[in-house]
Amino acid sequence: MNRRTMMKTTAASMLMSGLPLTGQPVFAADPVTPASAQDTNLSPLSIAARNAWIYGLALIENAKSRADVLKRGKPNTVVHEGKLVDASWRDVTTPNNDTLYSRSWINLTEGPVEIQVPKGGDRYVSVALMDMYMNNFAILGTRTTGNDGGTYKLVGPKDPIEDAFTIRAPTPWVWSTLRVLVNGPQDLDTARSIQNKFKVTGPAADFPPEYAERSAPWQEFLTSVQKLVLENPPPVTDERYFETMSPLGLSMSGGFDPSRFDETQSAEIDAGFLAAKKWLRSAGRPGPVINNWSYPKATLGDFGDDFLYRAQVAIAGLGALPMVEAMYLRPVSDSGNPNFDSNKVWRLILPGSALPPVDAFWSLSMYEQTPEGQYFFVDNPLDRYVIGDRSPDLVRMDDGGIDIWMSRTPPPANIQTNWLPTPAERPFSVFFRGYLPKDEFMSWEYKMPKLTEVVG
């Protein structure tokens, strides 16, 4: 692809994604900086630091997730969550309350690992395999391999492919997540029996060292990013982006040394980190907004060089599946705010003729936002965090549709089974999930009804 074609292609993709054009030449491997995040006063070193923070955030967040899981198990083994996630859970942002989770961090440096996917019967089951750069490179289960289960071999980036049941991972470390649908409290034991048949077996492998978290000083953050890059070599297609970080000495082959920077340069790097965080906050909704619902971008869960979007998801939706597996939608106000006033009463009316078109299941989950921008369930009088197509005793409208109420206080007694309690203190945000969405959902032909305020 020549330079002119590349610029046209990138501009077109920006328009489709809803991101503003800056008027400056933009290359496929360069960050697309929204006008609100531009700062012409940034030095080359600050720009390098800004880009490094955006790029490295996925690695840092994945390393934290890995450390949390490996506090409870060893590499190449499975940690089962034997109950649905509730308000006490703070491991990964925006969890669901529909499926049981089983997680494994796989280290392929000592050789292949075997993955046994359980039979799912007629329920949704998936095993997502994600590399250290947050890309789902394979998903096993209902949509792809079926519900009869199976045994697969996972090999490292340089290992040979033996047969059709061998999967090559792009990075030596892999995050494996099993999701098993639970069809109500009475189904939990059955779902758990399926979950427990998920196995990961392989050679004993070393634990990873500790790495910095995203709030760490730049010296620790960038040192960790460099080590993680060496631990999990990035794709060669990221090379051009690494050129934008060259003033730091951070590269695919190593070279970052925090001791080489003086006080003035340290201040420039700090300025770059601040610019990165401003960039992330001001980037807005990454995908199209339809009926005041923010839809995902096509690159969700398999990001390529969409590093800004990857950073956004690392904060607000780590571990997200690609759109073909699940549609994640989030309502926003007329002004674009994703957080709603919990003092007010809100409704989502889903007509019977326009229920979400999915082949598996759908749900609406209630969260509060933490000061760090992450989302978790919050305690409520009913211990109810989600309403969906499997919720028991829902009151249906005459046409078969569903009227979901969101408020701090209960709605009229005759529809309290349709009540999703909002947080007692903070504003709320809701996320819609539609698993195995139909074509009309992914093409935006189906439009979610608008979330409305009940007045009077």
Side-chain angles (χ1 to χ4, degrees):
M1 181 183 294
N2 62 37
R3 175 174 172 172
R4 183 184 300 273
T5 302
M6 184 180 294
M7 291 171 63
K8 287 182 178 179
T9 301
T10 304
S13 66
M14 290 168 65
L15 288 169
M16 290 176 65
S17 69
L19 290 172
L21 293 170
T22 64
Q24 300 297 323
V26 177
F27 300 98
D30 291 339
V32 180
T33 310
S36 59
Q38 290 186 42
D39 188 343
T40 56
N41 295 321
L42 288 179
S43 70
L45 185 59
S46 294
I47 291 171
R50 181 199 66 185
N51 294 355
W53 193 87
I54 292 293
Y55 184 89
L57 192 59
L59 289 165
I60 291 294
E61 293 301 302
N62 259 346
K64 182 180 185 304
S65 169
R66 181 175 65 182
D68 289 341
V69 171
L70 294 181
K71 289 174 184 176
R72 299 171 54 192
K74 299 178 181 179
N76 302 342
T77 62
V78 176
V79 174
H80 294 298
E81 302 293 344
K83 64 177 184 176
L84 293 173
V85 169
D86 58 21
S88 66
W89 205 76
R90 288 293 188 272
D91 284 12
V92 178
T93 184
T94 56
N96 79 52
N97 185 249
D98 304 291
T99 71
L100 294 175
Y101 285 109
S102 294
R103 294 175 292 162
S104 176
W105 272 96
I106 297 170
N107 184 346
L108 296 168
T109 57
E110 300 301 322
V113 164
E114 185 177 271
I115 297 175
Q116 291 178 262
V117 180
K119 293 182 179 180
D122 59 357
R123 77 182 63 230
Y124 174 84
V125 172
S126 69
V127 177
L129 302 175
M130 190 175 78
D131 67 23
M132 280 296 287
Y133 294 89
M134 288 177 45
N135 297 306
N136 290 267
F137 61 90
I139 298 176
L140 309 171
T142 302
R143 179 181 63 87
T144 55
T145 58
N147 270 21
D148 290 334
T151 301
Y152 304 87
K153 180 179 286 187
L154 184 64
V155 300
K158 299 180 180 179
D159 294 329
I161 299 292
E162 296 180 359
D163 54 36
F165 298 95
T166 302
I167 303 166
R168 178 181 287 134
T171 56
W173 278 95
V174 171
W175 183 8
S176 167
T177 303
L178 169 76
R179 293 171 173 90
V180 178
L181 179 62
V182 179
N183 291 307
Q186 76 288 345
D187 184 49
L188 184 58
D189 286 343
T190 302
R192 192 181 290 125
S193 69
I194 294 171
Q195 174 192 37
N196 289 335
K197 292 181 175 65
F198 173 57
K199 309 276 185 198
V200 172
T201 55
D206 291 338
F207 282 80
E210 292 186 5
Y211 292 102
E213 298 190 10
R214 68 173 178 272
S215 59
W218 68 262
Q219 295 90 339
E220 297 173 23
F221 183 97
L222 292 176
T223 296
S224 289
V225 170
Q226 181 67 90
K227 290 180 178 178
L228 285 162
V229 164
L230 296 175
E231 176 191 270
N232 296 275
V236 68
T237 48
D238 291 0
E239 185 172 1
R240 187 133 181 251
Y241 191 89
F242 271 88
E243 292 177 6
T244 72
M245 299 182 260
S246 60
L248 289 168
L250 196 155
S251 76
M252 290 184 173
S253 57
F256 176 73
D257 178 5
S259 67
R260 59 177 279 227
F261 300 103
D262 60 27
E263 286 189 18
T264 300
Q265 292 169 320
S266 176
E268 290 181 51
I269 296 172
D270 279 331
F273 273 37
L274 288 174
K277 295 168 186 177
K278 176 183 175 184
W279 180 8
L280 203 61
R281 288 193 302 269
S282 64
R285 309 274 68 77
V289 176
I290 304 170
N291 265 7
N292 287 68
W293 284 87
S294 176
Y295 281 61
K297 291 179 70 175
T299 52
L300 178 66
D302 190 7
F303 297 93
D305 61 1
D306 199 343
F307 304 127
L308 177 59
Y309 188 30
R310 188 176 74 184
Q312 288 179 295
V313 175
I315 294 293
L318 186 67
L321 295 165
M323 193 164 61
V324 68
E325 193 75 19
M327 286 288 287
Y328 303 101
L329 275 63
R330 184 178 176 189
V332 295
S333 68
D334 291 338
S335 63
N337 189 345
N339 297 316
F340 292 79
D341 188 346
S342 292
N343 288 308
K344 298 179 179 180
V345 178
W346 303 85
R347 294 172 72 186
L348 175 64
I349 300 175
L350 299 171
S353 60
L355 292 173
V358 297
D359 285 326
F361 67 93
W362 64 263
S363 65
L364 188 75
S365 300
M366 173 68 62
Y367 302 97
E368 69 173 4
Q369 184 183 33
T370 68
E372 294 78 25
Q374 296 183 306
Y375 291 88
F376 297 105
F377 297 130
V378 61
D379 287 323
N380 65 79
L382 302 179
D383 289 331
R384 181 183 294 163
Y385 313 105
V386 60
I387 285 180
D389 57 358
R390 295 151 297 105
S391 296
D393 303 320
L394 284 178
V395 176
R396 298 271 178 168
M397 299 184 293
D398 291 342
D399 67 352
I402 301 172
D403 182 5
I404 301 175
W405 288 67
M406 287 156 272
S407 60
R408 282 181 178 162
T409 56
N414 64 322
I415 58 167
Q416 286 191 17
T417 53
N418 294 32
W419 175 38
L420 199 51
T422 58
E425 298 178 359
R426 293 175 176 168
F428 74 89
S429 186
V430 288
F431 285 71
F432 173 90
R433 291 176 172 86
Y435 280 73
L436 305 190
K438 295 185 177 181
D439 289 344
E440 59 265 34
F441 209 158
M442 292 187 286
S443 67
W444 312 332
E445 179 183 342
Y446 172 78
K447 298 173 176 61
M448 282 286 291
K450 185 177 178 180
L451 191 69
T452 58
E453 180 186 349
V454 178
V455 179

